[in-house]
Amino acid sequence: MSQISHDKVEVVIIGSGIAGSTMAAELGEAAFNVLVLEAGPERKLSDMISSQIWSRRLRWAGPEVLETGDLVGAANFAMGWGTGGAGLHWYANWYRLHPDDFRVRSLFGRSLDWPIGYDDLRPWYDHAQSYFGVSGNDDSNAPSGEAYPMPATSMSKQSSAIKPGFDAEGLELTTNTLAINSAPYAGRAGCLLDGWCDAGCPIGALTNPLVLQWPRARKAGVELRHNAYVARIETDPSGSKATGVLYLDEQGRENLQPADIVISACHTIWNARLLLLSTSDKHPDGLGNGSKTLGRYFTSHALTTIHGLFSQETEPHLGVSGANTLCLDGYEDKQPAKGAFGSRAWLVGQAAKPNDLLGTALAKPELYGEALDDYLRNASRHYGNMTVLCEEDSIPENRITLDPSKRDRYGLPQAHVINSLPHANATRSKLAKEEGLRIFKAAGTTDAWAGPRNPMHMMGGTIMGDDASASVTNSFGQVHEVDNLFVAGASLFPTPGAVNPTATLAALVFRTADYIRTHRSEWLP
């Protein structure tokens, strides 16, 4: 089968999720000729149906990611598939990393440092929250920044039931910060608080690429090509310049897409996989792997859920999937006890439907028959829940590799994630679980229990750094060895903190887009 060659574009972006679509809109509006390649199918707002079963269609449907270690299981659940990527089923929790999160090595002798600090990102955090539309109130435990453009949503019955437990522990529970409209904003409707964020948001109250970035990008002339599975990034004979990408279309045909600038804006695992697949004589171990750090320093968040039944009615099916309230009180204390390390954050009062993976039924998977029926009748009105995120150290042993024994439909090695939680982080997670159970018992639950520890979010693998011998990219996501090749997304994070990564991901995208804009003459003829 002959290879199909396409006309050269100025910028080709791989991935149409939050990172890719934001970059596309920014560069398109800066008059770059931009093409975005998306491996999955086209998605429309009409595909957003309020059903947790239906929402599975929005999740990863590409090659399975293999996982080993004691903190695995999120990869195939968390990634997206089609227009907007995981941005169609994300929960819109919007938090900034704290200043100490950027200097963990310098301050604590563990993990890594970022090549930039909080002050470098602060203006881009401020810009991002206005661009996306964020609702929230001032929180004395959050990093400094401009006021949010919308007030927070009101405290739910579920959070009101849980709050006395935080009061008893001397902890401050605040309203959550969300990229969800608490009122009409930028032409988009306010949230209905019907608890279906997990299935997407057809009214656009939850900011997603279909209602924010893609209308802007298309207006700017950006082209989006679906069912385009990128197999490798091509380089010139010297290996110092990316010349374009090779992708496979729906019929399995090879397509060569030349470009002046290449930006890999895939999910964390796929960014690393694509660079590892892009071998050549000059890059035998993958693009950007001269430091031997490509794929290494993978991190996630150690998640533990706390569940309980309350005497008062909590309306658990209403609200937002992310969390109604938040506790960052104590986040700064990364060494809470001997042998424990890492920040932690409580996300409180997530909307929960009765069924499916995140529903109240599976909060007690051991029940069946009449006992399950009795529990669900009670839980549907009296259930409460919260989630703690704990920091994971960045260590080289946790990594993304290729497994040549397992191949995708095109014969390419599948990605393999190895992730085990360092002992000090596991101890921190255990302390958080104990804290959560105390909170629920102090809140007066008739029954309180904890779920198993699981991973949430995925970061690292193409980490940024000043030292080309110890990192893959510089602070702008520019690959050290190939200066017209950029990476965008959470794979750049040297450390994960203990908060959801999207606000930081977005701030980095805006910062990199500005860098490309102001240096365009270096790459364009």
Side-chain angles (χ1 to χ4, degrees), residues 352-376:
K353 307 299 183 181
N355 66 313
D356 212 59
L357 184 60
L358 302 178
T360 53
L362 282 184
K364 276 191 174 288
E366 72 277 10
L367 298 181
Y368 62 94
E370 186 175 338
L372 177 60
D373 183 71
D374 290 343
Y375 160 73
L376 280 174

Side-chain angles (χ1 to χ4, degrees), residues 417-465:
V417 173
I418 302 162
N419 189 32
S420 290
L421 193 62
H423 179 73
N425 304 144
T427 302
R428 181 68 187 94
S429 178
K430 181 176 180 290
L431 291 174
K433 180 178 77 172
E434 293 168 353
E435 180 182 56
L437 290 172
R438 289 198 307 271
I439 289 169
F440 265 40
K441 288 172 182 175
T445 53
T446 59
D447 185 16
W449 67 98
R453 186 166 60 221
N454 286 299
M456 187 178 189
H457 310 127
M458 288 166 280
M459 296 148 283
T462 66
I463 61 167
M464 61 166 68

Side-chain angles (χ1 to χ4, degrees), residues 490-501:
S491 64
L492 295 172
F493 291 18
T495 59
V499 289
N500 301 54

Side-chain angles (χ1 to χ4, degrees), residues 45 48 187-192 200-206 208 211:
L45 280 180
M48 310 295 107
R188 296 184 283 112
C191 180
L192 301 176
C201 184
I203 65 171
L206 185 155
N208 71 62
V211 297

Side-chain angles (χ1 to χ4, degrees), residues 183-196:
Y185 182 82
R188 296 184 283 112
C191 180
L192 301 176
L193 299 175
D194 61 1
W196 284 114

